[in-house]
Amino acid sequence: MTIALKGRSLLSLEDMSPEEIRYLLTLAVELRAEKRAGTEKRRLTGKSIALIFEKDSTRTRTSFEVAAYDQGAHVTYLGPTGSQLGKKESVKDTARVLGRIYDAIEFRGSQQHHVEILAQFSGKPVYNGLTDEAHPTQVLADFMTIQAHTSAQPHETALVFMGDTHNNVARSLADGAMKLGADMRLCGPKSLWPDTATLERWRGIGLETGGRLMVSDDVNVAVKGADFVYTDVWLSMGEPTEQWAERIKLLSPYRVTSELMRTTGRPNAKFLHCLPAFHNLETGVGAEIGKQFGIDCMEVTDEVFESGASIVFDQSENRMHTIKALLIATLGG
Ligand code: CP
Ligand code: NVA
């Protein structure tokens, strides 16, 4: 089968077929090997990519920048301040301007609608670098990492996401897992479950790919047999900080602890997190929350985060290789 991704956008993993996702993951593994061997070829010479960040970022920004530079492309970073976007210029007008100047656009912001407008009106490939609904480039890196840590096929791989199961990362993870035919479990309080239509959509994909979906508020049921345990922050960027108290109360039973890792029954179970993580009090927000609520971590204990089971920094590195694969597949050649 020929995989033709040139000119394509990645607004959500819904946009990609299972074959296209697998193609990007394979290309990313090849690119990682090339970079490590010092034999990387430049496939994006002369291309220019605009990077719009309405929200903060470490991994996504640096991954796009280094991936582009490695391949001979140029980038312009447009941060939360400093451009006309959102103040004197609409997303639609910005799309038409950047579409005349750049070969592709990355967007991180709140609204999924905005990434769609950018794609519609720029006429160039647009990459979702995180919205409130989706974080597709994260999940490409997650599956690259999962594949590197198992010899099992996706349908033999059980992956559980703990905590805020309706956030952007959980949703994109479930998109990817169902497309790749994995055993996906979402575990958290009912009030934070994705809506029924989304669950039905995933189950529909699973019927075609062999993917299975469990949604449960019972930790023991959901983590039993899990090969990979994933979590994310309890309050995402842009959500009101007044919600911390409620989220901490709701989500504390879903914290990833050493006991929870043992409950999987899989001695080799691995821990994943998109990062940044509140695993100790060494951050401004973590210290403040710690003081206010008398806790020393949130979604994961420091013990699990620092354990041999933790593959979170592989995930971080793989952001760059998978984003590079995406840029080459959509812009190269
Ligand atoms: N995981 C992730 O997207 O990290 P950043 O917010 O640092 O980009
Ligand atoms: N759910 C998190 C992911 C950060 C990479 C957020 O949106 O803040």
Side-chain angles (χ1 to χ4, degrees):
M1 180 181 296
T2 336
I3 302 294
L5 285 169
K6 194 162 165 56
R8 289 269 296 279
S9 290
L10 177 60
L11 309 185
S12 111
L13 278 180
E14 285 181 61
D15 298 344
M16 296 272 168
S17 69
E19 292 72 27
E20 288 166 346
I21 295 172
R22 282 193 282 270
Y23 171 79
L24 289 174
L25 298 181
T26 304
L27 179 57
V29 171
E30 289 165 12
L31 291 165
R32 180 174 59 191
E34 259 189 35
K35 181 163 170 122
R36 288 183 178 173
T39 57
E40 185 160 354
K41 290 181 282 295
R42 296 186 152 193
R43 300 153 177 96
L44 297 175
T45 308
K47 301 288 184 192
S48 297
I49 306 164
L51 306 178
I52 305 174
F53 281 86
E54 290 181 353
K55 295 180 178 182
D56 294 339
S57 169
T58 297
R59 278 143 289 269
T60 308
R61 175 183 174 179
T62 54
S63 294
F64 269 97
E65 292 202 2
V66 172
Y69 296 148
D70 280 354
Q71 285 291 313
H74 300 273
V75 300
T76 305
Y77 172 73
L78 298 168
T81 59
S83 85
Q84 309 286 12
L85 177 62
K87 296 173 285 277
K88 284 169 70 182
E89 197 151 43
S90 66
V91 178
K92 184 173 168 181
D93 290 355
T94 303
R96 289 180 286 182
V97 172
L98 297 180
R100 298 289 187 104
I101 299 174
Y102 290 91
D103 300 295
I105 303 167
E106 178 277 352
F107 175 83
R108 167 173 288 200
S110 296
Q111 297 188 44
Q112 185 69 16
H113 179 54
H114 285 170
V115 87
E116 286 161 7
I117 294 176
L118 279 171
Q120 190 181 349
F121 292 97
S122 69
K124 297 289 167 67
V126 170
Y127 316 114
N128 180 347
L130 181 147
T131 60
D132 293 349
E133 275 179 40
H135 197 5
T137 63
Q138 173 68 50
V139 168
L140 292 177
D142 299 337
F143 280 102
M144 181 180 179
T145 309
I146 287 172
Q147 286 181 3
H149 285 275
T150 180
S151 50
Q153 292 301 309
H155 66 272
E156 299 160 339
T157 306
L159 167 63
V160 62
F161 181 94
M162 304 297 305
D164 180 7
T165 56
H166 81 330
N167 83 7
N168 41 18
V169 170
R171 281 195 274 199
S172 287
L173 195 67
D175 276 343
M178 297 315 282
K179 293 243 170 173
L180 295 173
D183 172 354
M184 179 79 223
R185 297 109 180 256
L186 296 172
C187 181
K190 280 199 177 74
S191 58
L192 295 177
W193 285 1
D195 58 76
T196 315
T198 305
L199 297 176
E200 285 315 307
R201 181 172 62 75
W202 285 328
R203 290 201 167 101
I205 298 169
L207 289 178
E208 289 171 24
T209 63
R212 281 159 289 158
L213 179 69
M214 175 203 288
V215 190
S216 175
D217 58 0
D218 185 327
V219 176
N220 290 316
V221 170
V223 308
K224 192 167 186 297
D227 305 291
F228 294 91
V229 179
Y230 198 128
T231 193
D232 185 14
V233 290
W234 289 346
L235 200 68
S236 286
M237 289 184 279
E239 292 190 300
T241 51
E242 295 73 44
Q243 287 188 14
W244 270 123
E246 189 200 351
R247 288 290 172 88
I248 288 168
K249 191 158 164 242
L250 268 174
L251 290 168
S252 291
Y254 300 93
R255 172 178 295 127
V256 180
T257 61
S258 296
E259 191 194 336
L260 184 141
M261 293 300 288
R262 278 192 294 275
T263 307
T264 62
R266 302 279 166 125
N268 291 323
K270 298 285 185 262
F271 170 71
L272 296 129
H273 194 308
C274 55
L275 305 185
F278 293 118
H279 58 97
N280 59 26
L281 302 181
E282 290 173 19
T283 63
V285 175
E288 183 51 42
I289 297 285
K291 202 158 63 182
Q292 214 177 321
F293 297 94
I295 51 180
D296 62 6
C297 64
M298 281 193 268
E299 68 274 11
V300 57
T301 62
D302 201 42
E303 190 177 40
V304 171
F305 187 89
E306 298 293 354
S307 72
S310 177
I311 52 174
V312 298
F313 297 109
D314 288 1
Q315 287 174 270
S316 294
E317 178 189 334
N318 289 338
R319 295 297 308 282
M320 201 278 290
H321 303 301
T322 43
I323 283 171
K324 191 183 283 176
L326 178 66
L327 296 179
I328 291 171
T330 55
L331 279 183

